[in-house]
Amino acid sequence: MLHALLPALLVAAPPAFEEASERLGIGGIGASRLAVADLNGDRRPDLVVARERVFLNVADPAAPLGFRFVEAPATLTKPGDDGVATYADLTNDGIPDAIAFRSIDEAKRLEREKAGDTSPYAWLQRGKGDGTFEPPVPIAATSPATACAIGVGDVDRNGTNDLLVGNWYVAYGKRNDAFAADLLLAKVADGNVSFARAPLPEDGVAFDEEKDLGGRPIYGALVAELVPRERAQTPQLLTLAYGRRWNRLYMRTDAGYVDVAPATGIDGDAERNGAYPEGVSREAEKPFRSNGNTFDAAVGDIDGDGRFDLAIAEIAHWWAGPSSDRSRLLVAAPADNVAGTRFEPRAAYSLDRFDPTRHPAWNQGDLFVELHDFDLDGRLDVLLASGDYPDPPPFDERLRLFAQRKDPNENGLLLDDMTKAAGLDHVGCGQIAVADFDGDGRLDVVAGQSFNRFTPEMVAAAGGTPRLRLWLNRTATDAKAIELFLVGDPAQGIATQPYGAIVVLTPKGAAAPTVRQLVGPGGHAGKASEAIVHASLGNAESAEVLVTWPCNPPRTTSHTLAPGRHVIRVPAQGAP
């Protein structure tokens, strides 16, 4: 491995977190869904809770921790408990907007028609810059569907962020077909944004059991660069499938979008026989139903070789045996295929943790995953959120933190489950987000909670009432961090919020650089963390920073920066 060597050897302290919700003014709030965005432009990450409540992060020297959350007036329109929403700048004014989609299956569509309900299926609410939003403006570029995920990024590299919307079954439990995913390309004119639906290969294709070429039930959607830029000048579209169906990775070629997930190994693990374990009286599944219930993904350079890898969150069941995939890290390597890349699991990065002797009928309900360097040792760690399939106390379905080691342990593993030692005690974990809430250079964590499927006894043992929790990172370290707020320029073909930017940081004296990508909201349920690039500089006093901006052709700018928080605006054309 070529992990960036820090300029001097630092003793990595174990991650440590302090629960701070009550002292920050957000204690006792029950919510499963949440997101983070800087809604008022002060470079302080704010919270959106349950898709309708906004809490602004406000500096307050008199507060116990020097800042607190203050609720803004309610102006968000909620898309229902089964809808999806996220928050990103689509109007290129530097202020995140709210994007929301209802989930409407065939039964709901008929009910709406019978009732004469013409309310919008999808809409955008422009952010005002103070935590409030303008009234909804319908997004008419697509028809009602079972929206479940939104990915954001500049797909066509025209300087405006676009939407990738994942839909799931047309009629869950009755049919295998699903609505096709929606790729909605945005255009800003006179300050207003409009959308046009772009075709994908699955459009209009009927369901079949052999190749499953039509719409698949999608629980996660992400726009990111996962293959070398010489192979693709535009980002790839990752859709994560439920129902043990195959994931897709659309890559733009001269012939249009091509699904390269089978060639790159992202579609599912290698076991395709669909067999069930002994004692489960079900016929083996066909290949199209022999892989994952994939909910979420995160992008990062896990092994430090300069390529972007993936963390994949899956729901797996004991009774499904090899016809159900488990959560895993997929490490990218060069390959002789159209994408020039193959993603493979490595035994050293195992996320397995269930003890079948304690839970012979186990489930692994992993819903969300993030990759970040929480202990500032230069290596990415894994934050994994599990819920929806509860087990008796002490509860395996919970928020977990796996810290990455420099060298394998006695079992050959590079990931240590540091959950208990780090002070993270959160069962039935809902949506998660990562942000530097207190601005100290260490990344903090916020998580929702759900007691879905909990028995009354489990609810009582878990605390009685599900609630949101926020933990501040208190890891003891001498390492210095750098945090970059990147600002694009639509006049130069770069979205103001430049998702897809790739940053290469070389701390002074380091033997190898650190590589990061600014990935927009995406994954399951519009997951959204703080829109910053974060990395450790060890004890270096400066770093050379190269930013490759998301435009065509790509443009790279160079910067020499000290540790701390920096705003980098793309220079005017011709400027250094």
Side-chain angles (χ1 to χ4, degrees):
M1 288 179 288
L2 298 177
H3 273 300
L5 300 179
L6 300 181
L9 294 178
L10 296 173
V11 177
F17 289 84
E18 175 188 13
E19 210 275 325
S21 309
E22 292 285 347
R23 286 171 291 166
L24 292 174
I26 52 174
I29 297 174
S32 173
R33 296 289 183 253
L34 53 83
V36 166
D38 177 13
L39 299 176
N40 57 1
D42 62 357
R43 310 297 178 195
R44 303 178 67 90
D46 307 307
L47 276 175
V48 183
V49 177
R51 307 184 185 100
E52 60 183 345
R53 298 178 69 183
V54 170
F55 293 85
L56 296 177
N57 181 339
V58 177
D60 181 358
L65 296 169
F67 74 106
R68 58 192 175 95
F69 287 97
V70 176
E71 189 163 9
T75 56
L76 285 172
T77 299
K78 187 176 181 178
D81 289 337
D82 56 353
V84 61
T86 198
Y87 312 90
D89 180 14
L90 268 66
T91 53
N92 274 334
D93 60 0
I95 301 168
D97 310 300
I99 309 102
F101 286 74
R102 300 187 192 278
S103 180
I104 300 177
D105 60 11
E106 280 293 283
K108 285 185 180 179
R109 182 183 65 80
L110 293 174
E111 289 175 5
R112 281 166 58 94
E113 290 178 357
K114 185 177 180 180
D117 184 355
T118 60
S119 60
Y121 151 65
W123 59 87
L124 181 143
Q125 289 185 257
R126 186 167 186 163
K128 293 183 178 181
D130 60 358
T132 65
F133 297 82
E134 295 181 1
V137 175
I139 298 174
T142 183
S143 302
T146 45
C148 191
I150 304 174
V152 182
D154 187 357
V155 172
D156 54 2
R157 292 294 192 249
N158 72 340
T160 304
N161 284 318
D162 310 301
L163 302 177
L164 174 64
V165 182
N167 303 305
W168 69 309
Y169 292 104
V170 173
Y172 179 61
K174 299 178 180 179
R175 296 162 53 173
N176 281 320
D177 59 330
F179 290 102
D182 287 305
L183 175 57
L184 305 179
L185 301 181
K187 183 178 180 181
V188 176
D190 299 324
N192 298 311
V193 61
S194 60
F195 297 90
R197 189 178 186 277
L200 293 172
E202 63 201 71
D203 284 8
V205 180
F207 169 76
D208 73 277
E209 292 186 346
E210 295 303 316
K211 295 185 178 180
D212 197 14
L213 296 178
R216 296 173 187 166
I218 299 303
Y219 263 124
L222 197 66
V223 178
E225 293 201 19
L226 295 171
V227 307
R229 275 196 169 163
E230 60 267 21
R231 298 285 182 143
Q233 290 297 307
T234 58
Q236 292 80 62
L237 313 177
L238 177 62
T239 55
L240 307 170
Y242 180 72
R244 288 184 275 157
R245 308 273 276 272
W246 297 313
N247 303 320
R248 282 188 166 117
L249 182 67
Y250 283 127
M251 187 178 87
R252 186 81 181 181
T253 68
D254 291 340
Y257 278 108
V258 175
D259 180 14
V260 299
T264 58
I266 291 177
D267 56 341
D269 70 17
E271 296 191 71
R272 307 291 170 97
N273 60 25
Y276 283 95
E278 184 178 350
V280 178
S281 56
R282 293 177 63 166
E283 292 184 7
E285 298 286 354
K286 293 186 176 182
F288 89 96
R289 247 183 72 81
S290 63
N291 283 107
N293 296 310
T294 316
F295 274 67
D296 197 27
V299 177
D301 181 9
I302 296 166
D303 62 345
D305 67 350
R307 289 177 171 266
F308 289 111
D309 311 305
L310 278 172
I312 299 287
E314 307 266 11
I315 287 184
H317 308 289
W318 70 271
W319 52 262
S323 68
S324 180
D325 295 354
R326 298 197 190 186
S327 299
R328 59 204 181 278
L329 302 189
L330 297 174
V331 179
D336 185 18
N337 58 37
V338 65
T341 304
R342 178 81 183 175
F343 293 87
E344 295 285 355
R346 292 182 184 172
Y349 289 119
S350 173
L351 293 171
D352 293 343
R353 66 270 184 196
F354 285 103
D355 179 1
T357 62
R358 194 170 80 84
H359 295 304
W362 59 265
N363 295 289
Q364 182 173 288
D366 297 345
L367 301 174
F368 299 95
V369 64
E370 288 277 81
L371 288 171
H372 297 281
D373 182 3
F374 290 104
D375 52 11
L376 293 179
D377 67 354
R379 294 178 288 274
L380 293 180
D381 309 307
V382 184
L383 190 70
L384 190 65
S386 304
D388 270 13
Y389 289 91
D391 56 293
F395 299 113
D396 278 327
E397 301 295 298
R398 59 172 58 245
L399 178 65
R400 290 180 183 270
L401 176 63
F402 295 87
Q404 186 175 172
R405 303 168 58 94
K406 180 178 182 293
D407 299 304
N409 64 15
E410 62 276 11
N411 296 315
L413 301 178
L414 284 166
L415 297 177
D416 287 333
D417 187 341
M418 300 296 293
T419 306
K420 184 176 181 179
L424 299 174
D425 186 10
H426 191 64
V427 305
C429 192
Q431 198 158 20
I432 58 176
V434 174
D436 184 2
F437 288 107
D438 54 2
D440 68 354
R442 295 171 293 186
L443 292 174
D444 311 309
V445 175
V446 62
Q449 190 172 44
S450 170
F451 289 165
N452 185 32
R453 296 191 178 96
F454 276 53
T455 65
E457 293 77 15
M458 289 179 183
V459 171
T465 304
R467 64 186 181 94
L468 171 155
R469 287 185 173 91
L470 188 150
W471 296 267
L472 296 177
N473 190 337
R474 300 306 194 199
T475 303
T477 177
D478 293 327
K480 301 177 177 68
I482 191 167
E483 295 177 335
L484 306 180
F485 299 86
L486 303 180
V487 182
D489 178 8
Q492 299 184 57
I494 305 169
T496 303
Q497 203 162 38
Y499 298 128
I502 294 175
V503 179
V504 179
L505 307 98
T506 306
K508 186 176 181 180
T514 296
V515 180
R516 296 284 189 264
Q517 182 175 166
L518 182 63
V519 179
H524 179 44
K527 181 187 69 176
S529 289
E530 187 177 14
I532 60 172
V533 171
H534 174 273
S536 173
L537 298 187
N539 60 6
E541 296 300 330
S542 65
E544 296 300 316
V545 177
L546 299 178
V547 181
T548 300
W549 300 88
C551 54
N552 275 337
R555 182 182 175 200
T556 299
T557 58
S558 177
H559 315 265
T560 301
L561 300 173
R565 298 158 69 87
H566 303 272
V567 177
I568 299 182
R569 301 179 185 275
V570 61
Q573 288 287 0

